[in-house]
Amino acid sequence: MTNASSEQSSLELSHRLAALRQQLDEAGYRYYVLDDPSLPDADYDRLMRELEAIERAHPEWVTADSPSQRVGSKVVGGFPEVRHAVPMLSLNNAFEQEGADDRARYAEVADFVRRIETTLDRRQPEFSVEPKLDGLAISLRYLDGLFIGGATRGDGETGEDVTGNLRTIRSIPLKLRGTGWPRLLEVRGEVVMLRRDFEQFNARALKAGDKLLANPRNGAAGSLRQLDPAVTAHRKLSFFAYAVGQVEDGALPSTHSATLQQLRAWGFPVSPEVATARGFEGLLAYFRRIGEVRDQLPYDIDGVVYKLDDYVGQQAMGFVARAPRWAIAHKFPAQEQSTRVQAIEIQIGRTGAATPVARLEPVSVGGVVVTNATLHNADQVARLDVRVGDSVIVRRAGDVIPEVVRVIPGQRPEDAHPWSMPSHCPVCGSALLREDGAAAWRCSGGLFCPAQRKEALIHFASRRAMDIEGLGERFVDALVEFDYVKTPADLYRLSLDDLLAMKQQADMRDGSTPETVKAGKIATRWAEKLLEGIDASRQTSLARFLFALGIMHIGSNTAKTLADWLGSLEQIRLQPDLVLRVLPDVGTEVAASIAGFFQQAGNQDVVDRLLEAGIEFADESTPDPRLRQRLDLAALLNGAHIAKLGPKSVELLLRHFPTLEAIEAGGYNHWLAAGVPAAAASALEAVLADPARRQVLSNAEQAMRALLAAIPAAAQVENLPLQGQSFVLTGTLQAMSRDLAKEKLEALGAKVAGSVSRKTSVLVAGEAAGSKLDKANELGVDVWDEAKLLACLAEHGISA
DNA sequence: ATACCTCGAGTTCG
DNA sequence: CTCGAGGTAT
C-alpha cells in the first residue's frame, strides 16, 4: 500500500488522490445515503486518513468537494471519529395510545413497570426520573479530573470528536470540583441551546439578514458541528449531564439518582427537574407534572425518561437488542409531523374572504388528529409552493392551530403543478376578486352566496353576538340549504312545523334511517329548544346586536363604542359617515362601512324586520354628552377631506361663518377676507358647486344638529371607579370566564384591551398565562392575580 | 410621513 | 394566537 511519502512523484500522488476521493465518495454514499455499506468501517477510516495525509502535504490540492471536507448530514468529515468505549445506547420509546384509562393509554409504560416488577419480584420499584432534553447527546471524558475530550453520540458505537467545540461551552467543566472522582470518568448528557439564547440568536440574525435557526435543537446540532470553534463560541450552548459511561479506578454510588447528585457535586449541571418516583402511578404523575411546566422550562424537551434507580436492579434487567430494559423514554405527542396534502380547497368566510385550506392525510400532531390546516391566502401558498400530493411538515402553532410549515423536498409527485386561486367561488360561482394591494381574494357574490349567508348567520347566532342557544353550524347549514332562512330576520319567523319539515328534508337527502323516523319525539324536543333559544335572544343589548349584524370592520369593541356614544339604534342607523367620523376609533373606513351598510335598502329592511320580530335592547339611552365637544361643523369639514382646506383654514372660516348656509352666502371673496388661503377657498368653492358633494355636507350638518338636539340638557356625568384605566386579561380564570370579567370591569368604567402595551394599567393573569405576562413584566406593567381582581370587584360592589 | 397601538377576522378540534 | 390593516399620536 502506498502512502504519502516524499519519494513519490507528484503525478503518482495526484492520481492516488483522485482514486481515494472516488472510492470514499462511493463508500460514503452507500453507507449514509443507501444505508448499504460496501466497505468495512476500518477500511473507510484508513482510506480517509490516507487522503487527509496527502491533502496535508499538498494543501493546494484541497477542493471543497473532497470527501475530507464534508460537513453535515451525509458524510462525516472534519472531525475525527471516536469509538465509544461503552456504547451510547438508545432508549425504547413509549407513546400515548388510544384507550379508556391511564393504563391503556400508557400501556407501554405500564408494561415497562410490570416487567421490572415481575423480573425483580419487587413492587413499586423506585425510578430516577428526568426530562428528556431535545438536543444533541454527547459524551465527555475526564482523566484525573481534567477534561480530555468529548464526542457526539453518532450511531451509538462511533461518534465525532468535537472536543474543540465542547471546550467553548461554559457549563462543561474543564476541571472537576470536589474530590473522589475516578481516574477515568466518562459523563454523558445533552448539549442544548436554551430557548432564551435561541431567540436572541435569531433576533440578531434577523437584523443582520442572516439565516435563521429552525429550532433550538437544530441550533445546538449545527453549532456543535461547526468546524471553527470560534463560530461555536458565538452560539451560546448549554450542557446537562444525565448519565455516566466508562469508569476506571473509582467507584460511584449505588443508585442513578445518587450518581446525579455526585455529578452535581463534581461541577456538572444537572437538570433541576430530575426527581425520583415510585411505581406506575408515580411515573405518570411526574409525566403530567412536567407536561404542565413544559412551556416554562428554559429548554425544549420531547418527553421524560424513567430509569430504574439502583444499579443492581439495572444489571439484573439487562438489555434487549440495543436498548436497556431498565429505562424508557416517555415521549410527549409530537408537535411536528409530516403528512401528505390530499387537496387544497377554498373556504368562503363571512365577509367572502376566500381562504385556501389544505386537506391532509390524518396525522396526530401534539395529541390531536389533524386533517385540515390553513394556508392563509394565495400568497402564502405561493411562498411555500405547496402542491396537491406534496409531503409537508405540519405543526401546531401556539399550541392550537395547525399550520403547514414547509414542503418536504424531493417527495413531490411528477405530475404536481403549482396551485393557483380559482377564478370563481366554488360555492356560488361568482367571480373571486382581489382589491389592489390586498392579500385576500373575496367572493363577489355577497349574500347571494350561500356560504356567506351561512357564515353570516353563524356569526349572528354566536355567543358574543345574539347568543342563540341551540343554533350551531349544523342547523344553520340545513336552514340555509333548504331556504328556510335567508337573513337573520327569518330566524324569528320559524315555526315548529318549519323545523320539523326541514329535518325531514335533511334526513331524506342523507338517506333516512329507521332511527330518525322512530325518534319523532326527540326531534320535536330539539326543535322546541331551538325555538326557545331564538326567543330568548330577543332580549339583547345594542352592542351585541350591532356586532351581530356583521358590518365590515365592526367587531365587538367598535360596536360597543357606537352603542355607548350614540345610545340608540335609531341614532346610529341614520348617521352619515361624516358624523360617525367624530367617534373615537372610527375613521374613514369604518365610518364609510357603517353608513354604507345602513344605506342599503336590503339591510334596512332586515333591521326593520328584526325589530318587528321583537328584538329589544335593554340598554338604549340618549347620546353621550361628550359628543358636544367633538361634534361641530369644524369636525365635519375636517372629516370631509377637502383638498388644501386644513384645520387652520376651517377654523378661520368658521369664526366668521358659523353655518354651512352662512359660508355659502359669504362667497369666495369674503372667505379670503376671513384669512382663508386662496387655494383652500377655491377648493371649497369647487366642492359647494358640485351638487352631490354639497348635499353630503348639508346632510351631515343637518344630522349633526339633530344629534346635538337629542343630547339631554342636564346630563350629570357620574365618575366610575376605574375610569381611564386600561386592563388586559390573560390565562384562565377560575371564578368566571374572561368575557364575563371583561363585562364587569367595563361596568366599573375600565377599558379592556386585547394586548399589553405601555399604556396598559393592569394585567390580570389567570392560570397558565403566556406571552402577555412576559410582556407585562418586561414593560413593568402592574400584574394582578385572580384573587386581586375579585377583591377589586368586590370592593366596588360587584360579586363574582 | 411614521411608529405605535388596537381591533377585526380567520383558524382547529373536541 | 397571529396577522394585517385601520386609527391616532407624534
Side-chain angles (χ1 to χ4, degrees):
Chain A
M1 174 67 53
T2 52
N3 63 37
S5 66
S6 52
E7 301 90 47
Q8 281 179 301
S9 79
S10 245
L11 189 64
E12 270 171 3
L13 259 186
S14 68
H15 280 138
R16 179 63 189 152
L17 181 76
L20 280 170
R21 284 178 177 169
Q22 211 237 311
Q23 238 179 317
L24 286 164
D25 262 334
E26 176 66 13
Y29 176 73
R30 306 252 327 223
Y31 184 88
Y32 288 102
V33 181
L34 302 183
D35 198 20
D36 174 24
S38 57
L39 200 65
D41 286 358
D43 291 3
Y44 182 93
D45 289 350
R46 191 171 41 72
L47 294 175
M48 182 62 90
R49 277 198 302 276
E50 189 186 341
L51 172 67
E52 284 167 352
I54 296 176
E55 286 180 344
R56 258 199 307 280
H58 293 273
E60 75 276 16
W61 289 352
V62 176
T63 58
D65 64 355
S66 167
S68 67
Q69 300 298 304
R70 280 201 192 246
V71 188
S73 55
K74 277 190 183 167
V75 173
V76 177
F79 299 110
E81 295 196 339
V82 219
R83 208 171 178 81
H84 298 298
V86 180
M88 293 180 78
L89 301 162
S90 48
L91 295 176
N92 283 325
N93 291 319
F95 291 99
E96 181 165 345
Q97 295 168 2
E98 299 283 312
D101 62 3
D102 288 343
R103 292 216 172 246
R105 267 197 293 279
Y106 306 107
E108 287 161 321
V109 177
D111 290 347
F112 164 74
V113 176
R114 193 177 317 116
R115 195 165 332 107
I116 290 172
E117 285 175 335
T118 53
T119 310
L120 302 182
D121 193 23
R122 270 192 225 166
R123 282 190 316 179
Q124 300 278 312
E126 180 144 62
F127 294 92
S128 173
V129 293
E130 58 197 56
K132 188 174 189 311
L133 275 57
D134 198 8
L136 208 64
I138 57 156
S139 125
L140 306 171
R141 294 174 60 240
Y142 290 81
L143 188 62
D144 293 322
L146 294 179
F147 178 58
I148 53 169
T152 62
R153 176 176 179 279
D155 61 4
E157 301 284 333
T158 322
E160 293 169 89
D161 183 339
V162 288
T163 306
N165 288 335
L166 290 173
R167 281 184 184 281
T168 69
I169 300 176
R170 306 290 291 261
S171 49
I172 294 180
L174 297 177
K175 189 165 175 284
L176 299 187
R177 307 166 72 93
T179 53
W181 3 273
R183 190 177 61 82
L184 180 70
L185 173 69
E186 182 195 348
V187 173
R188 293 169 176 181
E190 202 85 356
V191 167
V192 297
M193 187 178 263
L194 299 184
R195 287 177 178 157
R196 193 184 52 216
D197 296 328
F198 166 77
E199 276 156 24
Q200 231 165 48
F201 178 92
N202 270 358
R204 212 170 296 160
L206 191 66
K207 269 195 192 145
D210 295 339
K211 268 193 97 173
L212 300 188
L213 298 172
N215 54 52
R217 194 194 171 282
N218 286 2
S223 304
L224 205 54
R225 308 191 60 189
Q226 291 293 323
L227 287 173
D228 180 0
V231 176
T232 309
H234 271 103
R235 318 244 184 119
K236 284 196 192 145
L237 298 180
S238 305
F239 172 78
F240 292 90
Y242 58 63
V244 166
Q246 196 185 8
V247 175
E248 279 179 14
D249 299 334
L252 290 173
S254 64
T255 65
H256 184 70
S257 53
T259 303
L260 291 179
Q261 294 297 341
Q262 180 61 261
L263 288 178
R264 256 195 201 127
W266 285 336
F268 292 97
V270 174
S271 164
E273 275 72 38
V274 300
T276 56
R278 275 193 181 280
F280 174 76
E281 307 297 338
L283 296 184
L284 207 55
Y286 180 73
F287 179 75
R288 294 197 164 125
R289 186 169 77 69
I290 294 296
E292 270 170 32
V293 299
R294 182 181 184 184
D295 292 339
Q296 280 110 64
L297 295 177
Y299 33 63
D300 281 355
I301 63 174
D302 59 354
V304 296
V305 178
Y306 313 134
K307 294 171 181 164
L308 184 61
D309 202 28
D310 71 293
Y311 291 136
V312 173
Q314 287 188 6
Q315 210 136 34
M317 291 305 299
F319 297 82
V320 232
R322 306 189 43 184
R325 261 196 283 243
W326 44 265
I328 195 166
H330 191 179
K331 296 279 199 86
F332 295 129
Q335 308 267 31
E336 264 191 16
Q337 280 294 344
S338 64
T339 183
R340 243 171 43 87
V341 176
Q342 291 175 327
I344 297 177
E345 290 175 4
I346 298 296
Q347 264 178 21
I348 303 294
R350 161 166 75 86
T351 62
T355 309
V357 176
R359 305 274 174 230
L360 306 168
E361 249 166 42
V363 62
S364 173
V365 186
V368 299
V369 176
V370 169
T371 54
N372 298 319
T374 176
L375 293 165
H376 294 117
N377 54 48
D379 294 341
Q380 173 84 348
V381 180
R383 196 156 48 239
L384 296 168
D385 189 23
V386 184
R387 304 181 185 187
V388 174
D390 272 342
S391 296
V392 293
I393 303 284
V394 178
R395 167 174 65 190
R396 290 221 301 160
D399 260 10
V400 226
I401 296 161
E403 65 176 8
V404 173
V405 183
R406 63 176 180 277
V407 173
I408 302 172
Q411 296 194 29
R412 170 170 290 167
E414 283 182 14
D415 56 350
H417 43 81
W419 184 86
S420 62
M421 183 64 77
S423 60
H424 291 87
C425 171
V427 180
C428 73
S430 306
L432 293 181
L433 305 173
R434 164 143 84 167
E435 277 176 42
D436 286 342
W441 290 78
R442 286 178 192 282
C443 164
S444 58
L447 290 182
F448 165 75
C449 178
Q452 290 189 55
R453 278 213 298 273
K454 241 179 242 178
E455 296 300 324
L457 278 164
I458 290 169
H459 171 76
F460 183 86
S462 67
R463 208 164 38 80
R464 298 166 57 157
M466 300 297 281
D467 193 17
I468 301 181
E469 251 176 89
L471 187 57
E473 197 158 342
R474 286 195 99 95
F475 290 132
V476 172
D477 262 11
L479 286 168
V480 169
E481 217 140 298
F482 299 113
D483 259 357
Y484 283 90
V485 173
K486 283 201 171 66
T487 74
D490 298 332
L491 286 174
Y492 294 90
R493 309 173 56 169
L494 288 172
S495 67
L496 197 59
D497 288 343
D498 289 335
L499 290 175
L500 296 178
M502 180 202 81
K503 173 82 169 146
Q504 210 162 32
Q505 268 179 291
D507 284 346
M508 292 248 272
R509 188 198 47 183
D510 301 340
S512 157
T513 61
E515 232 176 315
T516 49
V517 174
K518 266 195 302 185
K521 284 217 165 126
I522 294 168
T524 313
R525 181 115 38 92
W526 68 252
E528 280 167 354
K529 275 208 139 165
L530 176 53
L531 288 179
E532 274 168 33
I534 291 172
D535 190 40
S537 76
R538 285 187 164 96
Q539 305 296 322
T540 185
S541 72
L542 180 54
R544 276 172 176 275
F545 179 77
L546 286 169
F547 176 54
L549 291 176
I551 305 168
M552 251 216 264
H553 296 128
I554 309 303
S556 50
N557 285 48
T558 313
K560 190 162 188 313
T561 304
L562 288 170
D564 287 350
W565 282 81
L566 293 172
S568 67
L569 181 60
E570 288 318 305
Q571 282 297 347
I572 294 165
R573 71 189 295 190
L574 295 172
Q575 295 309 334
D577 60 348
L578 283 180
V579 173
L580 294 168
R581 282 275 281 110
V582 308
L583 302 181
D585 305 325
V586 176
T588 21
E589 293 281 330
V590 173
S593 172
I594 301 165
F597 178 90
F598 286 115
Q599 265 161 36
Q600 307 235 347
N603 292 334
Q604 287 284 8
D605 185 47
V606 170
V607 171
D608 283 333
R609 284 171 52 213
L610 281 167
L611 295 176
E612 277 165 29
I615 302 277
E616 280 175 27
F617 314 114
D619 58 348
E620 273 192 313
S621 65
T622 50
D624 192 300
R626 285 171 296 172
L627 277 172
R628 286 222 176 83
Q629 281 94 66
R630 294 177 159 259
L631 198 54
D632 53 29
L633 198 50
L636 294 190
L637 286 171
N638 286 326
H641 289 122
I642 298 169
K644 316 281 189 200
L645 189 74
K648 271 242 173 88
S649 310
V650 168
E651 201 197 319
L652 289 169
L653 193 62
L654 292 182
R655 211 173 285 165
H656 294 83
F657 312 103
T659 65
L660 205 54
E661 204 179 13
I663 292 173
E664 282 196 286
Y668 185 86
N669 287 329
H670 288 94
W671 300 340
L672 288 188
V676 176
S682 330
L684 182 57
E685 193 169 43
V687 168
L688 293 175
D690 177 342
R693 299 187 69 183
R694 191 195 158 280
Q695 192 63 49
V696 167
L697 282 176
S698 95
N699 283 348
E701 189 190 29
Q702 225 182 317
M704 175 187 82
R705 299 204 186 286
L707 178 53
L708 284 170
I711 300 174
Q716 81 278 12
V717 184
E718 56 175 317
N719 237 345
L720 294 163
L722 297 180
Q723 197 75 50
Q725 301 228 55
S726 168
F727 280 67
V728 175
L729 305 170
T730 188
T732 314
L733 302 175
Q734 304 302 319
M736 61 182 99
S737 70
R738 275 203 301 266
D739 276 344
L740 191 59
K742 178 176 166 158
E743 272 180 45
K744 290 182 189 292
L745 284 168
E746 280 171 346
L748 293 174
K751 264 193 64 178
V752 179
S755 57
V756 178
S757 75
R758 266 179 285 275
K759 290 190 196 164
T760 308
S761 327
V762 174
L763 175 81
V764 180
E767 238 5 73
S771 59
K772 284 179 204 169
L773 180 55
D774 298 340
K775 182 148 188 203
N777 287 325
E778 193 185 313
L779 296 175
V781 167
D782 248 359
V783 177
W784 289 6
D785 60 10
E786 183 172 354
K788 188 146 184 201
L789 171 70
L790 294 178
C792 171
L793 291 176
E795 190 185 324
H796 297 106
I798 293 186
S799 64

